[in-house]
Amino acid sequence: MLHDSRSITVNDYEKEVTVEGWAQEVRNLGGISFLILRDRYGVVQITAPKKKITPEIMQAITSLSRESVVRVTGTVRASAQVKSGYEIIPSALIVQSPSATPLPMGVVDKVDVEMDTRFNHRYMDLRKPEVRSIFEIKSLTMRLIDEYLADNAFVEIFTPKLVASGAEGGSTLFKVDYFGKVAYLAQSPQLYKQMLMSTGLDRVFEIGPAFRAEPSDTARHVSEFISFDGEMAHIDSQEDVMAMIEGCTQFVISEVKERGARALEMIGSEVVLPKAPYPILSYEKAVGMVQGAGFKIELGEDLGTEGEKLLGDLMAQDGNEMYWIVEYPEEAKPFYIMEKDGTPYSYSFDLDYRGQEISSGGQREHRYDRLVQRMEKKGLELSSFEFYLNSFAYGMPAHGGWGLGVERMVQKMLGLPNIRETILFPRDRNRLVP
Ligand code: ATP
Ligand code: MG
């Protein structure tokens, strides 16, 4: 069995081990050569004193190119000079895959590499432990969401990603040819998760890709992202939904701190558990706050990137990193959101994290006639939504739900400047390869 940089302990000293990794650094000092071998968990030092090793090994080390994959067998020896406390004296060395030179980009060099160069050579970029660790945290985040929702009786669902109509407005749909018919890539599981509310599967969630043809180049938009969607029936108000998300985000962040401590250290991020309960601001109040700080915005308008950021700064003054904005104008919200009768507002919410929206949701319109009215008001072609509307005609309980962008949450949790840092192979207007 192979050892790795994490599994070698004092119990292995003076014993033979085999390790495998990338040649991060090779130093030849004449009488002695050093090879720093990097694996997933760290590095091991291979120390090769000319007198103690075969000429073949010496030859292999001195001619080794950086980033080649090497398998080394040797004896572990205690060494005070090495950070890990040991080194390996090689008795066999196989170059399993030599690396070409020059490298498309450095792995350990301190020079700043442009984001584009990094993403063009993502397989190289991901050799950096601080970059790779982001994906361990993302994976952990998904598992924790799963855990929390399973504990709350949610059923995990998988809805179609090839669909015949959009739920979030037509402008951001990607069109595909579906056996000669027009189909779209799903922007969200909205229609399907709502239909399930009529079945008795009264708490469902999905973590899956969502596709949006976002024309804007921003640090928080990509055209393919992972959406964490939930929907719950028999609610009294949208506050039931908000409580679920708040519980879930608090659980995820506190457990990431615990279980992800090693990866967080690699990334250099200190995760802070947001103050709870999260403050609730009405949309009107939020607009008033940013207006008060000199921001130009009219009631009814979207806060936008700058407005959200400013609000985040204002909330941070009282130590609030997560906060709700509720009761948006119904006009600004999709057709499926319930109107707050007698006002221009709606039963809707956004959850913002450090000045950026990470989730939107609300109570849905479950009353058939009102839903039809709302769809007509929004100018939707009812015939395209018949499959959806039908599920409201034969007994549909009150329900509500949310969509939360997993990458936006991870980005903000880790304090990263751009959502793309949390996506292995990001998709945006300018990027389809790799
Ligand atoms: P924004 O106003 O920031 O463009 P939105 O309000 O259009 O977002 P929603 O339809 O509310 O987005 O989607 C729910 C969640 O999905 C958002 O809160 C966000 O976390 C995530 N999300 C939406 N669009 C994108 C995108 N293009 N890239 C990454 N995440 C997204
Ligand atoms: Mg939104």
Side-chain angles (χ1 to χ4, degrees):
M1 246 249 301
L2 280 189
H3 277 77
D4 59 53
S5 60
R6 186 173 65 170
S7 67
I8 294 174
T9 67
V10 284
N11 297 329
D12 299 303
Y13 287 11
E14 300 311 320
K15 290 187 191 141
E16 190 175 84
V17 296
T18 299
V19 291
E20 184 171 307
W22 288 261
Q24 179 163 293
E25 207 187 316
V26 189
R27 266 177 293 145
N28 297 304
L29 308 178
I32 189 163
S33 292
F34 299 99
L35 161 62
I36 306 298
L37 209 61
R38 183 188 68 249
D39 62 22
R40 176 173 166 187
Y41 303 103
V43 294
V44 291
Q45 177 173 310
I46 313 296
T47 304
K50 209 168 179 179
K51 281 189 227 142
K52 290 199 187 156
I53 59 166
T54 66
E56 290 75 25
I57 295 179
M58 200 63 189
Q59 165 64 23
I61 293 181
T62 49
S63 60
L64 197 59
S65 55
R66 282 214 281 172
E67 295 301 317
S68 298
V69 175
V70 189
R71 177 174 286 208
V72 177
T73 300
T75 308
V76 182
R77 207 177 64 182
S79 166
Q81 280 99 296
V82 187
K83 202 170 151 210
S84 63
Y86 67 85
E87 58 194 355
I88 297 174
I89 314 297
S91 54
L93 185 149
I94 306 165
V95 179
Q96 294 195 310
S97 171
S99 169
T101 51
L103 298 173
M105 58 175 278
V107 175
V108 281
D109 317 351
K110 287 281 172 274
V111 287
D112 269 344
V113 183
E114 292 241 358
M115 205 157 170
D116 253 347
T117 310
R118 289 179 41 216
F119 284 116
N120 287 342
H121 307 287
R122 195 58 157 151
Y123 61 93
M124 219 58 210
D125 188 42
L126 285 160
R127 293 185 186 192
K128 299 177 192 158
E130 68 274 22
V131 176
R132 222 165 43 236
S133 298
I134 294 171
F135 297 93
E136 299 200 359
I137 294 295
K138 187 173 174 180
S139 162
L140 175 61
T141 299
M142 310 262 194
R143 245 179 306 135
L144 290 166
I145 291 175
D146 229 89
E147 197 177 313
Y148 188 84
L149 289 209
D151 284 348
N152 281 281
F154 278 75
V155 174
E156 183 165 17
I157 57 164
F158 301 91
T159 62
K161 300 306 157 207
L162 284 165
V163 297
S165 48
E168 317 295 340
S171 65
T172 65
L173 284 168
F174 280 114
K175 210 175 191 178
V176 291
D177 173 43
Y178 192 73
F179 305 111
K181 286 198 197 112
V182 173
Y184 304 99
L185 297 179
Q187 296 160 311
S188 83
Q190 187 64 31
L191 305 181
Y192 294 95
K193 62 179 185 168
Q194 278 195 267
M195 286 162 71
L196 293 173
M197 294 300 100
S198 74
T199 67
L201 280 177
D202 57 9
R203 288 181 167 203
V204 300
F205 79 103
E206 175 165 8
I207 303 178
F211 304 91
R212 297 196 190 177
E214 300 275 1
S216 45
D217 278 319
T218 74
R220 65 175 210 283
H221 287 105
V222 281
S223 40
E224 180 175 348
F225 64 96
I226 302 295
S227 185
F228 158 37
D229 272 84
E231 202 68 26
M232 44 202 284
H234 313 296
I235 59 169
D236 291 324
S237 74
Q238 68 172 13
E239 273 157 39
D240 295 349
V241 181
M242 291 158 69
M244 193 59 67
I245 306 172
E246 187 161 322
C248 183
T249 47
Q250 286 293 104
F251 173 74
V252 168
I253 297 170
S254 64
E255 289 299 310
V256 160
K257 272 172 77 82
E258 290 272 317
R259 300 190 217 174
R262 210 191 129 85
L264 291 178
E265 198 180 312
M266 285 276 192
I267 302 165
S269 291
E270 207 193 314
V271 171
V272 179
L273 184 66
K275 217 157 86 176
Y278 305 160
I280 303 174
L281 311 171
S282 68
Y283 161 80
E284 261 191 36
K285 168 101 198 277
V287 168
M289 281 172 71
V290 294
Q291 278 174 336
F295 187 70
K296 288 252 168 315
I297 182 175
E298 298 292 323
L299 263 188
E301 283 177 0
D302 192 49
L303 282 171
T305 309
E306 288 312 306
E308 281 180 26
K309 221 167 141 264
L310 178 57
L311 185 65
D313 293 340
L314 296 172
M315 293 306 286
Q317 288 172 5
D318 296 323
N320 290 306
E321 305 214 305
M322 286 257 208
Y323 40 91
W324 301 101
I325 306 168
V326 299
E327 299 193 350
Y328 277 85
E330 61 83 9
E331 244 181 31
K333 286 288 167 184
F335 71 85
Y336 48 77
I337 283 286
M338 187 183 269
E339 294 174 9
K340 188 169 182 188
D341 287 339
T343 77
Y345 298 121
S346 62
Y347 291 109
S348 57
F349 59 77
D350 273 11
L351 178 62
D352 282 28
Y353 188 10
R354 296 177 160 178
Q356 180 170 288
E357 172 191 328
I358 62 164
S359 177
S360 281
Q363 175 154 7
R364 319 306 190 184
E365 183 51 77
H366 66 284
R367 298 162 294 184
Y368 185 89
D369 295 342
R370 292 292 301 266
L371 183 58
V372 169
Q373 264 177 33
R374 208 166 144 71
M375 291 173 91
E376 283 171 341
K377 187 155 110 188
K378 295 266 175 190
L380 295 175
E381 187 82 59
L382 288 187
S383 59
S384 315
F385 291 89
E386 208 179 299
F387 70 96
Y388 165 78
L389 268 175
N390 285 343
S391 73
F392 288 73
Y394 305 95
M396 171 65 95
H399 62 277
W402 69 89
L404 183 151
V406 172
E407 285 101 351
R408 284 201 192 170
M409 162 137 185
V410 173
Q411 180 204 343
K412 284 290 156 182
M413 181 168 63
L414 297 178
L416 301 171
N418 194 308
I419 191 171
R420 289 164 182 75
E421 297 290 351
T422 69
I423 301 174
L424 286 170
F425 302 103
R427 289 288 173 265
D428 60 32
R429 225 171 34 149
N430 303 311
R431 189 165 282 284
L432 187 59
V433 178

